[in-house]
Amino acid sequence: MQSGISATKELQEAFNALVSSTDQRAVLASIENEQLVPTTTLAASSASFSDDLHKLQDHLSQDKAAYVLVKTHDAPDGYVAVTFVPNAAPVRQKMLFASTRLTLVRELGLERFRQQIFCTEKEELTPEGWAKHDAHVSLEAPLTEEESGLKGVKDAEAAESMGTLGRRGHVSSRVDIKTGDGVLEALRSLKEEGCKGTLVQLKYQLPNEILMLDSSNDGVQPDAVGKTINSAEPRYSFYSIPSTSGSEPEIAFIYTCPSGSKIKERMVYSTGKSWTRIVAERDAGIAVARSLEATEPDELTADEFGSGEKKEEQASEAGAAELKPASSVFARPKRPGRR
């Protein structure tokens, strides 16, 4: 979901000043007149990032959203983009800020930001709140030397595969959604020989936005997919469509967002659906043949998952049906009043 809003020259200049300055800590931005504009620049009072976090509290409102571009380290990528959307903010403002946050970092330079954070409470942007965030991030399982090397090769191949599309390739190779235990393994299982009718459901663990494995079910028939997907919360689902021909099953990516979902869930899932598919294809090595979206899972019918062969057969039959009237063009019409 994109809002069509872009960064003004003033915001770009303010961020560039933050990058080149040694005495600035953060730039706050907002959306005004359908544009991203700078609102406040915070000076760095000390060499400690956490000490300067206290000053943010005076510039954050309990009912107004804001972007906070903060320098956490003296490094080219030592910046964090914070999207602050308090629960009391108007609904339209929540949706607008959530749908524009990716545009913000892209236009300012995605390579500058080592993290993107979504917050709803001012307390999350205090030294204590930030410490909790760092502690959670540090819980990520360490890689072995072999795994680290393979990851480097994988990232290099992803960047190389984009050819001469330098900027686009750079961004795609840096997509970094944190995944929980079993996510990639479950996705990889979809391409295994004999895997037909497997439905893998993924969900976000909030507020940390970690992609988790919700469930993996085998032998799910097309007419049961809508009944199997969670109907209370949004889900990203990957389904290996059964094939009667014995060929490798197609994989469908399904995004569902029930009408009863919470506002923050709607924002996070809508923004993350493209990245989730990229990570699934890049890190799990699966090929998504088709994408489907529905509000309620029960809107998904068996017809949505018809195999390519069946669709061609249906199209052929439909074409034949359309030709039938032509064969009777020269038939003598019946006289009025007679049967």
Side-chain angles (χ1 to χ4, degrees):
M1 181 173 63
Q2 299 296 322
S3 62
I5 294 173
S6 59
T8 61
K9 181 180 178 181
E10 291 75 17
L11 178 57
Q12 293 174 341
E13 291 176 345
F15 181 70
N16 289 336
L18 173 66
V19 172
S20 60
S21 174
T22 58
D23 57 1
Q24 290 186 14
R25 178 60 66 191
V27 171
L28 277 75
S30 186
I31 299 176
E32 297 179 4
N33 299 321
E34 305 302 310
Q35 290 183 309
L36 289 161
V37 299
T39 55
T40 308
T41 298
L42 296 183
S45 59
S46 68
S48 172
F49 157 69
S50 60
D51 290 346
D52 288 337
L53 274 176
H54 287 294
K55 296 190 297 183
L56 274 178
Q57 301 301 305
D58 295 334
H59 300 279
L60 299 176
S61 170
Q62 295 286 9
D63 58 3
K64 186 176 181 181
Y67 295 114
V68 183
L69 311 171
V70 59
K71 180 189 296 184
T72 59
H73 298 83
D74 289 325
D77 64 342
Y79 301 83
V80 175
V82 180
T83 301
F84 174 70
V85 182
N87 293 321
V91 173
R92 183 179 183 279
Q93 190 179 101
K94 291 179 178 180
M95 301 300 292
L96 199 58
F97 270 74
S99 62
T100 308
R101 61 176 181 159
L102 290 178
T103 299
L104 175 69
V105 295
R106 283 175 184 159
E107 296 198 1
L108 296 181
L110 188 61
E111 68 279 1
R112 292 286 187 186
F113 300 93
R114 61 177 60 186
Q115 289 187 66
Q116 297 177 45
I117 300 175
F118 194 99
C119 298
T120 59
E121 303 290 342
K122 293 176 64 174
E123 290 72 19
E124 297 178 63
L125 296 177
T126 61
E128 296 76 18
W130 203 278
K132 291 180 180 179
H133 169 74
D134 284 344
H136 182 83
V137 171
S138 66
L139 291 176
E140 183 179 5
L143 299 178
T144 64
E145 183 177 353
E146 181 181 1
E147 289 172 334
S148 180
L150 289 174
K151 183 177 184 299
V153 172
K154 186 192 302 179
D155 290 343
E157 289 176 344
E160 182 67 23
S161 66
M162 298 306 293
T164 57
L165 301 179
R167 176 65 177 170
R168 183 181 173 188
H170 177 72
V171 171
S172 296
S173 66
R174 291 182 62 89
V175 173
D176 185 20
I177 293 179
K178 293 189 179 299
T179 55
D181 293 340
V183 170
L184 296 181
E185 290 78 5
L187 292 174
R188 292 188 185 110
S189 72
L190 292 169
K191 59 180 182 179
E192 294 178 355
E193 184 177 353
C195 179
K196 299 179 179 180
T198 298
L199 179 67
V200 174
Q201 295 186 61
L202 306 181
K203 65 178 181 179
Y204 268 122
Q205 176 181 290
L206 302 178
N208 302 306
E209 299 186 26
I210 299 177
L211 195 61
M212 306 293 292
L213 176 63
D214 181 42
S215 65
S216 180
N217 302 95
D218 296 326
V220 179
Q221 294 303 310
D223 59 358
V225 171
K227 303 172 186 177
T228 308
I229 295 177
N230 190 297
S231 61
E233 300 174 347
R235 286 293 182 271
Y236 301 125
S237 302
F238 293 82
Y239 179 55
S240 61
I241 304 172
S243 171
T244 57
S245 65
S247 60
E248 183 177 342
E250 292 184 342
I251 297 177
F253 171 59
I254 310 165
Y255 166 56
T256 52
C257 186
S259 55
S261 304
K262 298 177 182 177
I263 292 177
K264 182 170 182 178
E265 290 176 340
R266 290 170 176 269
M267 293 188 292
V268 171
Y269 278 82
S270 178
T271 303
K273 60 184 177 181
S274 296
W275 301 131
T276 300
R277 174 172 172 171
I278 289 174
V279 168
E281 293 184 316
R282 184 193 65 189
D283 295 350
I286 65 174
V288 174
R290 66 183 80 172
S291 294
L292 302 171
E293 293 189 16
T295 300
E296 307 296 340
D298 59 12
E299 296 174 11
L300 299 167
T301 65
D303 292 338
E304 303 281 1
F305 306 106
S307 67
E309 295 174 350
K310 184 176 180 180
K311 286 180 177 292
E312 290 178 2
E313 181 180 342
Q314 291 174 340
S316 177
E317 292 175 352
E322 291 176 359
L323 291 175
K324 286 182 180 179
S327 64
S328 58
V329 168
F330 301 103
R332 183 186 300 275
K334 295 180 180 180
R335 295 177 58 182
R338 301 186 64 179
R339 296 181 179 274

